[in-house]
Amino acid sequence: MTAHRNIASDSWTVAGRTFTSRLIVGTGKYKNFGENAAAVEASGAQIVTVAVRRVNISDPNSTILTDFIDPTKITYLPNTAGCFTGEEAIRTLRLAREAGGWTLVKLEVLGEAKTLYPDMVETLRATEILANEGFEPMVYCADDPIAARRLEDAGAVAIMPLGAPIGSGLGLQNLVTIRLIVEGAKVPVLVDAGVGTASDAAEAMELGCDGVLMNTAIAEAKDPVLMARAMKAGVEAGRLAYLAGRMQKRLYADPSSPLAGII
Amino acid sequence: MTIDADHSLAIRVNGETRRVPAGISIAAMLGELGLDPLRVAVERNLEVVPRATLAEVAVADGDNFEVVHFVGGG
């Protein structure tokens, strides 16, 4: 009898920080902070992505995210969403480090508004600069195994290839390239963007990814809190299936009942 | 430096022009705007101002501030 894995102790580590949840969720596009907080709770996520934006100086007492999602309990991962140059992204993360005191950040440098595809030249350049300044950047990138290796060499603490364009919900478009990145990387690999429903999250995990990051798939579901639960289950199911090791595919049928003793 | 007769300074905060008393610190300026220095990050003329020094650094006429915090995002 083979020893069963102790799945209760399954965890992943990024830049020295260990997490048991493999689902990272965004905090954008929700109807209100309450729904957002309920979805985070239901997802079981221990990390949320956040954006850095101007304070509304006309209404300084308006409620803010930290009133609803406690940064001492949930790790805030500041993101550079909306940045189209390395300079903008670096400037944003320098402010994020001052606002939160965190060096673990998410870098994304976008190439164009239509696809929100990453600009990999700028992304690589910014990764190098940030790593040299003591940041620990988790990096949104194209699903390109060579680019992924370059990012890792430049100091990325996690590789986060897109499964499909941000907010598209199309699901993973290229399973082969995601798997090649997983096989080549020494740092965690998380699918970031493109997940639409729970089976997409499970599929990413079945490929051996360390985690999945999503926002729109939960926030734009008819019932975001229920979808958050579904995503939690999907990530866990995919992870367990990956650990279990799936059966080989075969072209023809193979009966499940014994052939001997048929009456 | 252009100080008006009332000794106030003209600055920009998040793109808006404001007037503050001469000699005021950045922390005091944030207080005047109703902001808690512990909940924001401040950039002055494109340089991040460390939170620990906000009470010591004086606002200068013409300063351009960006005051940011975390908001929901993907």
Side-chain angles (χ1 to χ4, degrees):
Chain A
M1 194 181 135
T2 53
H4 290 289
R5 278 172 192 268
N6 181 5
I7 54 164
S9 67
D10 183 48
S11 65
W12 67 289
T13 300
V14 58
R17 297 158 183 82
T18 298
F19 300 95
T20 50
S21 169
R22 294 174 178 273
L23 176 56
I24 300 177
V25 297
T27 54
K29 298 184 176 174
Y30 285 92
K31 280 195 212 79
N32 53 57
F33 286 125
E35 181 182 73
N36 189 348
V40 171
E41 174 84 28
S43 75
Q46 295 168 307
I47 303 176
V48 296
T49 56
V50 294
V52 177
R53 292 291 184 270
R54 283 174 166 175
V55 168
N56 180 2
I57 57 171
S58 312
D59 184 12
N61 295 316
S62 52
T63 51
I64 57 172
L65 187 67
T66 47
D67 294 333
F68 290 83
I69 299 171
D70 184 352
T72 64
K73 296 195 178 102
I74 302 280
T75 297
Y76 272 41
L77 184 66
N79 185 14
T80 61
C83 294
F84 285 84
T85 67
E87 272 65 37
E88 287 171 34
I90 292 163
R91 185 181 172 203
T92 299
L93 290 177
R94 284 177 182 151
L95 278 164
R97 176 162 63 180
E98 196 53 39
W102 303 298
T103 53
L104 186 66
V105 294
K106 183 188 153 192
L107 172 69
E108 63 180 55
V109 185
L110 303 171
E112 60 172 13
K114 188 177 171 186
T115 61
L116 297 180
Y117 232 72
D119 179 332
M120 289 310 298
V121 174
E122 281 291 278
T123 299
L124 184 61
R125 196 170 66 76
T127 299
E128 269 174 357
I129 293 169
L130 288 167
N132 286 335
E133 290 188 16
F135 285 94
E136 295 166 303
M138 299 171 71
V139 185
Y140 167 69
C141 59
D143 58 341
D144 170 347
I146 307 306
R149 197 187 308 155
R150 295 276 191 184
L151 289 175
E152 196 174 326
D153 292 345
V157 299
I159 304 296
M160 303 209 286
L162 49 73
I166 292 170
S168 71
L170 287 168
L172 277 63
Q173 295 297 297
N174 197 334
L175 305 183
V176 175
T177 50
I178 299 288
R179 178 60 197 172
L180 288 173
I181 291 171
V182 168
E183 289 189 10
K186 293 181 205 69
V187 296
V189 176
L190 298 92
V191 164
D192 176 1
V195 166
T197 188
S199 55
D200 299 333
E203 191 170 42
M205 297 309 296
E206 286 170 4
L207 290 172
C209 290
D210 295 277
V212 182
L213 192 161
M214 65 184 72
N215 190 149
T216 310
I218 296 174
E220 286 190 3
K222 287 198 178 68
D223 184 337
V225 178
L226 192 55
M227 185 57 89
R229 266 181 65 195
M231 290 300 185
K232 178 178 196 280
V235 166
E236 287 172 359
R239 175 64 182 169
L240 292 177
Y242 174 71
L243 292 175
R246 64 153 296 149
M247 63 167 281
Q248 289 301 308
K249 291 183 183 180
R250 47 173 78 90
L251 196 52
Y252 297 104
D254 184 47
S256 297
S257 302
L259 293 175
I262 292 176
I263 54 168
Chain B
M1 197 159 111
T2 54
I3 298 179
D4 280 11
D6 63 354
H7 299 293
S8 72
L9 311 173
I11 59 168
R12 284 179 78 77
V13 183
N14 291 355
E16 292 183 23
T17 303
R18 296 280 170 138
R19 299 204 75 91
V20 293
I24 195 172
S25 71
I26 296 176
M29 173 201 76
L30 294 172
E32 290 226 335
L33 293 169
L35 301 170
D36 177 357
L38 295 176
R39 300 178 83 162
V40 299
V42 180
E43 185 190 81
R44 178 167 79 150
N45 305 330
L46 301 177
E47 292 274 333
V48 173
V49 184
R51 184 173 287 159
T53 67
L54 289 174
E56 294 151 30
V57 180
V59 175
D61 194 55
D63 273 351
N64 191 3
F65 291 97
E66 289 290 340
V67 183
V68 301
H69 64 166
F70 293 125
V71 302

